[in-house]
């Protein structure tokens, strides 16, 4: 491929602009070819007024009709105004296979979607078949082409129309009859059948019922029995809108499918990434062949095997074995095989199992970086470097070391400040280690193989926060907790013990003077221990017929110091209570976050988030520690404003306090975000977003007027920003560039008394370069 010239971006922008002006999208169409421009309407009309067609049925029937036209915005109805890809296909084509024009054509051109390729006639028939699958027989469907007013011979939309009769219901059901032991098992399943007389005929229900029978048989040794060995006969000719249903065994079922089998020998082969000498061992009746050195403890391997020689072969136990080995997180690949049907002898009554697994490389390194910039001269890059060992003690234990750092500086002169600020450099640095053990470790807890993954995690870390000309703070922490699931959608994280110690290493005269004037803020910076426990519940589910919706709900509750305070009270301690000579914090804090994602078309996404958090200090504390308070703004929050540059409430630091962001924290937070993500070309995508929110105090602070949460003026306290962004997907991560545009600040501006109170458009811009999506 020839490299593009230096001014590729400018050329591309000019070409796109040209496309908007002279958007001929049918130039290369042959005679008789018609460009498909989408669907005008889909109409599903009941034969009688009393008939109600379930939305699930019309949604299924409309799926084959939902063909995206070129440059869809909301498929199949709306298109974007500038069909860049289609324009490029018509105007940039060149027979030469080199040069900039060819390169650009290959990158952005999209071939036209033609009526002849959409085949509306065929799609009407497919939709009719889907109606029959849901019990609606005799549906009448047709379509109509709606030519474009400007080019009636070259462009057209499609109208689809269906007339739907009443559904057919089951009049009689003849359940499956089978010989021998298979018949006895089937008879035991009859009471729990999914088929009921009077119910609407439904192909999905029929499929689910025969799958239920086949699963039950395969769990009792009939390994080779398949759902397709059960067939249905439906007669709709006896009575109007009625179905006589008969279930029977198919013809020509292999004899092996009607015989139960037991587990024969179980042989395991383990391979290392680097070949080594081979050895063998036995784990009870299981034989293991492995390459030295053995990178898994025998007890862990034995606990993962759910198949036992001599027992009836259970497909669920087979799947559980493979799942258990994969969940250990130490294998690159795992395969489990049994003899194929055509290799069995007529006298064979057992199935030998072969398991082959290859160990993954244990060491893993991660690196992330982000950069934040704003028009007020604040710049701030951040990095995270991590090392992981995924099999520390040969049982899937993960040891992770993470080094984090962020840097922020401000230079320049701000007109809104009365005094000229000096150059400011601040940084944060952290080193954290964690050990994750893939099972629950607790006194008196007896290990049981979990249905879903579970993990015990121990953490220890240190974080250094430096705010030049003000303070330097060190935070040490140690914790232990559990992570587990109770369903495919619900996960839980319980931190049973966490102890944090905050220590001010250095303060400046400037900082001390400010603290004397603001006792509430000063208390949040005092040296103190934070003994806490917390619980987080997460619900994460993808749903919808096309799995185009995802809902995530997460709530966290943190309790700090209450258990310790109760123990002190039992022993008669009063006043300020201390731990190792320093006071400890006492507060309760909760955060609730809901996120909803809706897929629009094939490559577009509407994402939204609502977050509410509150914390309240009492007993041994008057305010929450600085590290536990809420703040807002930044690359993952309200992107028109930098981190800690908003709130609390309508409060704003004095103009001469250039770096007063350290006290812009609060006890209550609310934040809402909406973002539409769309694909532009190739791996490059775009976004349009709106962010809103703020933080508040729950206790009045005379030094921060306007900071307390109150109903009056609440909506005016909500900061609002919008913006646009670019996303580049390189598979393993997403590079993100966002330009935030401020609309409204919660603090008043005497020169701007309207809702749009940004001093100037430039002052309301925030540029953020980051990795990953903001939410």
């Amino acid at each position: 491929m020839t490299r593009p010239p230096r001014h590729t971006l400018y050329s591309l922008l000019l070409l796109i602009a040209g496309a908007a002006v002279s958007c001929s999208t049918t130039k290369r169409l042959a005679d008789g070819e018609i460009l498909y421009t989408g669907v005008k309407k889909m109409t599903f009309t009941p034969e009688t007024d009393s008939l109600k067609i379930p939305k699930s049925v019309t949604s299924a029937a409309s799926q084959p009709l939902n063909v995206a036209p070129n440059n869809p915005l909301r498929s199949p109805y709306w298109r974007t105004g500038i069909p860049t890809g289609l324009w490029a296909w018509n105007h940039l084509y060149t027979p030469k296979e080199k040069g900039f024009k060819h390169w650009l054509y290959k990158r952005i051109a999209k071939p036209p979607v033609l009526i002849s390729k959409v085949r509306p006639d065929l799609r009407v028939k497919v939709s009719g078949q889907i109606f029959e699958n849901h019990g609606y027989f005799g549906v009448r469907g047709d379509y109509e082409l709606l030519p474009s007013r400007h080019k009636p011979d070259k462009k057209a939309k499609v109208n689809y129309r269906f007339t739907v009769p009443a559904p057919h219901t089951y009049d009689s059901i003849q359940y499956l009859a089978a010989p021998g032991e298979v018949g006895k098992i089937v008879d035991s399943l009859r009471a729990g059948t999914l088929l009921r007389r009077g119910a609407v005929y439904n192909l999905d229900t029929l499929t689910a019922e025969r799958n239920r029978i086949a699963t039950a048989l395969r769990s009792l040794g009939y390994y080779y029995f398949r759902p397709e060995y059960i067939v249905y006969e439906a007669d709709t000719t006896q009575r109007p809108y009625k179905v006589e249903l008969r279930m029977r065994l198919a013809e020509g079922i292999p004899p092996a499918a009607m015989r139960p089998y037991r587990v024969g020998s179980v042989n395991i082969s383990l391979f290392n990434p680097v070949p080594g000498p081979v050895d063998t061992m036995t784990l009870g009746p299981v034989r293991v062949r492995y390459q030295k050195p053995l990178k898994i403890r025998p007890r862990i391997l034995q606990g993962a095997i759910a198949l036992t020689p001599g027992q009836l072969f259970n497909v669920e136990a087979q799947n559980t074995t493979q799942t258990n080995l994969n969940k250990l997180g130490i294998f690159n690949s795992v395969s489990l095989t049994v003899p194929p049907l055509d290799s069995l002898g007529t006298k064979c009554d057992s199935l030998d199992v072969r398991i082959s697994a290859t160990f993954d490389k244990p060491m893993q390194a991660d690196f992330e970086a982000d950069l934040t910039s704003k028009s007020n001269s604040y710049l701030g890059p951040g990095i995270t470097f991590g090392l992981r060992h995924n099999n520390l003690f040969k049982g899937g234990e993960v040891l992770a070391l993470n080094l984090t750092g962020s840097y922020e500086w401000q230079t320049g002169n701000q007109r809104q400040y009365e005094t000229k600020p000096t150059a400011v450099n601040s940084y944060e640095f952290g080193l954290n280690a964690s050990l994750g053990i893939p099972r629950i470790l607790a006194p008196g807890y007896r290990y049981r193989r979990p249905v879903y993954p579970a993990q015990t995690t121990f953490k220890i870390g240190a974080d250094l926060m430096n705010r030049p000309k003000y303070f330097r703070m060190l935070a040490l922490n140690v914790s232990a907790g559990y992570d587990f699931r109770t369903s495919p959608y619900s996960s839980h994280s319980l931190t049973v013990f966490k102890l944090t110690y905050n220590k001010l290493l250095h303060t400046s005269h400037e900082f001390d003077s400010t603290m004397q004037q603001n006792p509430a803020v000063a208390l949040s910076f005092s040296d103190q221990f934070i003994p806490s426990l917390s619980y987080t519940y997460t619900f994460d589910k993808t749903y919808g017929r096309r799995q185009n919706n995802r809902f995530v709900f997460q709530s966290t509750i943190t309790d700090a110091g209450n258990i310790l305070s109760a123990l002190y009270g039992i022993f008669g301690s009063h006043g300020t209570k201390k731990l190792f000579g320093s006071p400890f914090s006492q507060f309760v804090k909760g955060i609730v976050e809901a996120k909803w994602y809706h897929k629009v078309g094939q490559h577009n996404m509407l994402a939204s988030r609502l977050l509410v958090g509150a914390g309240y200090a009492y007993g041994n504390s008057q305010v929450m520690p600085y590290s536990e308070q809420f703040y807002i703004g930044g690359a993952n929050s309200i992107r028109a404003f930098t981190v800690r540059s908003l709130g609390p409430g309508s409060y704003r630091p004095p103009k001469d306090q250039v770096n007063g962001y350290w006290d812009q924290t609060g006890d209550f937070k609310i934040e809402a975000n909406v973002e539409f993500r769309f694909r532009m070309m190739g791996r490059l995508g775009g976004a349009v977003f709106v962010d809103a929110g703020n933080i508040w105090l729950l206790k009045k602070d005379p030094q921060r007027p306007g900071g307390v949460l109150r109903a009056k003026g609440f909506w005016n306290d909500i900061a609002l920003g919008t913006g646009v962004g670019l996303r580049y997907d390189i598979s393993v991560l997403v590079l993100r560039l966002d330009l935030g545009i401020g609309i409204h600040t919660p603090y008043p501006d005497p020169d701007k008394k309207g809702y749009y109170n940004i001093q100037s458009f430039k002052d309301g811009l925030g540029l953020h370069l980051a990795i990953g999506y903001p939410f």
Side-chain angles (χ1 to χ4, degrees):
M1 182 183 73
T2 304
R3 293 186 62 184
R6 293 177 57 187
H7 301 296
T8 301
L9 178 60
Y10 298 108
S11 302
L12 178 59
L13 292 175
L14 289 173
L15 287 169
I16 294 175
V21 177
S22 57
C23 201
S24 175
T25 56
T26 58
K27 179 179 178 180
R28 291 178 56 198
L29 294 186
D31 292 340
E33 289 185 336
I34 300 176
L35 180 68
Y36 166 77
T37 57
V39 174
K40 180 68 174 179
K41 187 182 294 186
M42 300 179 193
T43 305
F44 303 98
T45 305
E47 272 192 353
T48 60
D49 294 338
S50 60
L51 177 61
K52 301 295 182 182
I53 309 172
K55 185 174 178 57
S56 59
V57 176
T58 56
S59 177
S62 64
Q63 190 169 348
L65 313 177
N66 186 357
V67 181
N70 288 99
N71 58 284
L73 180 61
R74 181 176 178 267
S75 177
Y77 301 103
W78 300 342
R79 304 169 69 204
T80 59
I82 305 176
T84 308
L86 188 57
W87 180 89
W89 188 87
N90 280 277
H91 292 272
L92 296 182
Y93 173 75
T94 172
K96 298 180 181 180
E97 295 189 358
K98 59 182 180 179
F100 171 66
K101 189 175 181 181
H102 172 73
W103 174 85
L104 193 59
Y105 176 82
K106 296 293 289 184
R107 295 292 294 178
I108 66 174
K110 300 293 182 183
V113 180
L114 303 176
I115 291 290
S116 58
K117 294 181 180 179
V118 174
R119 295 286 305 276
D121 55 339
L122 178 61
R123 295 185 181 277
V124 167
K125 293 179 181 178
V126 173
S127 292
Q129 182 61 54
I130 291 176
F131 271 112
E132 290 187 4
N133 294 344
H134 287 80
Y136 294 83
F137 295 92
V139 171
R140 300 184 300 278
D142 64 1
Y143 73 95
E144 175 189 10
L145 292 183
L146 303 175
S148 167
R149 289 182 298 174
H150 301 294
K151 292 188 177 181
D153 58 333
K154 289 295 184 181
K155 295 182 180 181
K157 283 183 176 291
V158 183
N159 253 356
Y160 291 103
R161 297 182 294 260
F162 294 87
T163 302
V164 185
H168 282 58
T169 58
Y170 298 116
D171 187 41
S172 64
I173 300 173
Q174 184 177 337
Y175 206 68
L176 179 66
E181 290 297 321
V182 173
K184 295 179 181 179
I185 297 173
V186 171
D187 287 342
S188 69
L189 300 172
R190 188 190 300 265
T193 181
L194 304 176
L195 306 177
R196 294 285 187 268
R197 185 179 177 184
V200 174
Y201 174 93
N202 188 288
L203 183 62
D204 291 340
T205 306
L206 299 180
T207 301
E209 177 64 13
R210 73 177 191 175
N211 287 342
R212 188 179 74 94
I213 296 173
T215 299
L217 289 170
R218 298 188 74 201
S219 67
L220 294 172
Y222 294 85
Y223 178 79
Y224 295 103
F225 194 90
R226 297 289 181 267
E228 52 268 27
Y229 295 159
I230 301 173
V231 296
Y232 293 99
E233 294 175 348
D235 187 355
T236 61
T237 62
Q238 301 302 313
R239 295 177 59 192
Y241 301 108
K242 296 294 182 180
V243 176
E244 292 187 358
L245 186 71
R246 179 188 174 211
M247 186 191 309
R248 64 175 179 83
L249 292 175
E251 303 292 339
I253 298 177
M258 304 297 289
R259 293 179 53 190
Y261 292 87
R262 296 186 177 273
V263 178
S265 62
V266 178
N267 294 279
I268 303 175
S269 298
L270 303 178
F271 302 95
N272 293 329
V274 179
V278 177
D279 202 351
T280 60
M281 67 177 179
T282 57
L283 299 175
V286 177
R287 184 173 182 272
V288 181
R289 181 177 180 269
Y290 62 93
Q291 291 179 337
K292 291 184 176 181
L294 181 61
K295 296 183 177 182
I296 184 172
R297 298 200 303 275
R299 184 176 64 85
I300 298 296
L301 180 61
Q302 187 175 18
I305 307 302
L307 292 166
T308 303
Q311 293 185 347
L312 283 174
F313 200 102
N314 189 332
V315 174
E316 183 178 347
Q318 175 191 1
N319 296 334
T320 299
T321 297
Q322 189 154 6
T323 300
N324 288 342
L325 292 172
N326 282 312
K327 285 193 305 186
L328 290 174
I330 62 178
F331 295 111
N332 183 42
S333 62
V334 176
S335 66
L336 189 154
T337 60
V338 296
L341 181 62
D342 55 9
S343 68
L344 296 176
T346 56
K347 297 183 179 181
C348 177
D349 61 357
S350 63
L351 303 177
D352 296 333
V353 179
R354 294 185 179 275
I355 301 173
S356 179
T358 302
F359 287 100
D360 201 354
K361 293 180 180 179
M363 297 301 297
Q364 177 182 331
D366 301 303
F367 180 79
E368 292 184 6
D370 63 77
L371 175 67
T372 299
S373 172
K374 200 174 189 298
S375 62
N376 63 1
S377 300
Y378 277 106
L379 292 172
I383 60 171
T384 300
F385 178 72
L387 286 175
R388 293 163 54 95
H389 192 297
N390 296 320
N391 191 21
L392 185 64
F393 301 123
K394 300 182 179 181
E397 301 85 0
V398 177
L399 175 65
L401 298 174
N402 287 307
L403 177 66
T404 60
S406 61
Y407 190 72
E408 184 177 274
W409 69 89
Q410 177 194 350
T411 59
N413 188 8
Q414 292 292 320
R415 292 182 178 179
Q416 67 266 32
Y417 295 117
E418 296 175 356
T419 59
K420 181 179 179 179
T422 57
V424 173
N425 300 276
S426 62
Y427 62 84
E428 294 184 26
F429 175 81
L431 180 61
N432 297 273
S434 65
L435 175 63
I437 301 172
R439 53 195 169 278
I440 298 295
L441 296 181
Y445 178 81
R446 186 176 179 181
Y447 175 74
R448 295 188 297 262
R449 185 183 297 116
V451 178
Y452 303 101
Q455 179 171 282
T456 303
T457 304
F458 302 95
K459 297 180 180 179
I460 185 170
D463 294 277
L464 180 66
M465 181 187 300
N466 183 67
R467 298 292 185 254
K469 296 188 176 297
Y470 285 99
F471 67 88
R472 186 182 304 120
M473 176 184 286
L474 177 67
L476 305 173
N477 64 83
V478 60
S479 66
Y482 305 106
D483 297 283
F484 56 95
R485 305 185 71 91
T486 52
S487 80
Y489 317 115
S490 297
S491 61
H492 311 262
S493 179
L494 175 64
T495 300
V496 294
F497 169 77
K498 182 178 182 181
L499 183 63
T500 303
Y501 179 61
N502 290 340
K503 172 71 175 177
L504 271 176
L505 301 179
H506 171 76
T507 61
S508 67
H509 174 73
E510 213 170 355
F511 179 81
D512 294 337
S513 300
T514 306
M515 292 300 100
Q516 291 176 3
Q517 299 172 6
N518 199 329
V521 176
L523 286 173
S524 70
F525 281 93
S526 61
D527 296 348
Q528 57 190 303
F529 282 96
I530 310 174
S532 64
L533 55 88
S534 64
Y535 167 72
T536 298
Y537 168 73
T538 303
F539 178 86
D540 188 342
K541 185 176 182 180
T542 301
Y543 63 97
R545 175 170 289 274
R546 285 173 283 180
Q547 299 292 290
N548 60 341
N549 293 292
R550 181 187 174 200
F551 177 72
V552 181
F553 173 83
Q554 187 174 80
S555 62
T556 300
I557 182 73
T558 302
D559 177 277
N562 291 308
I563 295 178
L564 192 59
S565 179
L567 292 175
Y568 274 65
I570 291 174
F571 291 99
S573 177
H574 301 287
T576 301
K577 307 174 182 66
K578 296 184 177 182
L579 179 65
F580 304 122
S582 295
F584 62 85
S585 295
Q586 188 175 359
F587 63 86
V588 62
K589 178 180 175 182
I591 300 175
V592 175
E593 183 179 22
K595 293 181 284 189
W596 180 70
Y597 305 89
H598 175 67
K599 193 173 182 181
V600 182
Q602 188 174 358
H603 302 291
N604 307 323
M605 177 77 71
L606 179 65
S608 58
R609 171 176 65 174
L610 176 64
L611 184 148
V612 179
Y616 188 78
Y618 56 94
N620 211 45
S621 300
Q622 296 184 38
V623 297
M624 290 196 301
Y626 177 72
S627 58
E628 293 290 338
Q629 294 186 16
F630 297 102
Y631 60 88
I632 203 165
N636 297 319
S637 183
I638 304 180
R639 283 159 279 186
F641 306 93
T642 51
V643 176
R644 301 179 189 271
S645 65
L646 291 170
S650 60
Y651 168 75
R652 192 182 192 189
K655 292 183 178 181
D656 58 350
Q657 191 175 307
V658 179
N659 295 296
Y661 58 82
W662 45 263
D663 68 348
Q664 291 179 264
T665 57
D667 309 316
F668 183 87
K669 176 179 179 178
I670 185 168
E671 182 179 337
N673 315 84
V674 178
E675 180 172 290
F676 181 66
R677 302 163 185 167
F678 53 90
R679 187 172 180 178
M680 297 173 66
M681 64 178 78
R683 295 178 179 270
L684 182 64
V688 179
F689 55 84
V690 177
D691 305 319
N694 203 350
I695 55 172
W696 290 266
L697 303 174
L698 294 180
K699 298 178 181 178
K700 190 173 182 180
D701 183 359
Q703 301 300 320
R704 289 184 282 180
V708 72
L709 179 65
R710 53 193 173 88
K712 184 178 180 181
F714 173 80
W715 294 110
N716 202 49
D717 283 354
I718 299 292
L720 179 66
T722 184
V724 294
L726 295 174
R727 286 93 174 88
Y728 190 77
D729 189 349
I730 56 176
S731 298
V732 294
L733 52 85
V734 175
L735 301 178
R736 173 165 57 95
L737 179 66
D738 285 331
L739 176 64
I741 304 171
I743 301 296
H744 176 76
T745 64
Y747 44 80
D749 186 344
D751 300 326
K752 293 274 189 175
K753 296 185 180 298
Y755 185 79
Y756 179 78
N757 58 359
I758 307 297
Q759 186 67 29
S760 67
F761 181 76
K762 179 182 177 182
D763 291 336
L765 298 180
L767 186 66
H768 305 274
L769 176 63
I771 292 178
Y773 291 108
F775 56 90

